[in-house]
Amino acid sequence: MIDEIISILHSSFPDIRIYTETVEQGVVEPCFIVTHLSGNGKREITKRMKLVNQFVIQYLPKSYGVNSHHKENEDCSKMMDSLRYLLADTESCHATILDGKITDGVLTFEVEYQTMTVTVDPADFMENHNITFKEKG
């Protein structure tokens, strides 16, 4: 999923650098810092599993100030439009949470995606069964 998010950010903001790992010094602004915050799964009905992945995207603009607040609001709206759904592993998943906040000139954008999977026990595969047929006739 993080690769899809990076791809979307890169196509929506082509001139902005994207970091996915912690950089303590040497961050070149403007930039995005994309972090996978958490992932968890919860068993639903029978063999269904609900997977929840949360990401935080921080946008550090080149300049801070009164006029940059308007630009960051525009960027937040653009991110909401761009990240509302992903095409991950040939499945479309829609964002359940899209939340952007500007604090001290930094836009912090939280996004959450939920997917459902079906777990199959390996014993259920047909190649694991011995079936003998008798022909009538």
Side-chain angles (χ1 to χ4, degrees):
M1 275 188 191
I2 198 163
D3 292 334
E4 290 294 325
I5 292 172
I6 291 167
S7 176
I8 288 169
L9 288 174
H10 185 66
S11 63
S12 298
F13 303 91
D15 298 330
I16 298 178
R17 189 180 300 246
I18 301 170
Y19 296 99
T20 57
E21 297 184 17
T22 304
V23 178
E24 294 184 21
Q25 292 182 342
V27 173
V28 179
E29 297 173 353
C31 68
F32 289 108
I33 300 172
V34 181
T35 307
H36 184 234
L37 191 60
S38 69
N40 59 59
K42 179 182 175 189
R43 182 163 300 281
E44 295 289 319
I45 301 169
T46 61
K47 296 181 179 185
R48 292 181 183 260
M49 181 80 107
K50 179 164 70 171
L51 305 173
V52 179
N53 286 286
Q54 296 174 322
F55 297 89
V56 172
I57 303 163
Q58 291 179 301
Y59 172 60
L60 304 168
K62 190 168 184 110
S63 61
Y64 303 93
V66 177
N67 295 333
S68 68
H69 196 74
H70 178 69
K71 172 82 169 91
E72 289 171 0
N73 280 329
E74 289 176 0
D75 290 339
C76 184
S77 294
K78 190 174 181 180
M79 287 173 69
M80 281 192 188
D81 288 340
S82 301
L83 294 170
R84 66 178 179 243
Y85 71 92
L86 296 179
L87 185 64
D89 299 328
T90 68
E91 269 187 52
S92 176
C93 60
H94 296 267
T96 54
I97 295 175
L98 291 165
D99 185 29
K101 295 178 181 131
I102 300 169
T103 308
D104 296 330
V106 175
L107 169 62
T108 302
F109 191 82
E110 295 180 33
V111 61
E112 178 181 284
Y113 298 99
Q114 294 183 7
T115 57
M116 295 294 284
T117 62
V118 176
T119 56
V120 179
D121 186 4
D124 290 343
F125 292 115
M126 289 301 292
E127 56 263 9
N128 295 332
H129 295 281
N130 289 328
I131 300 173
T132 307
F133 293 98
K134 292 185 180 181
E135 189 175 325
K136 287 186 176 181

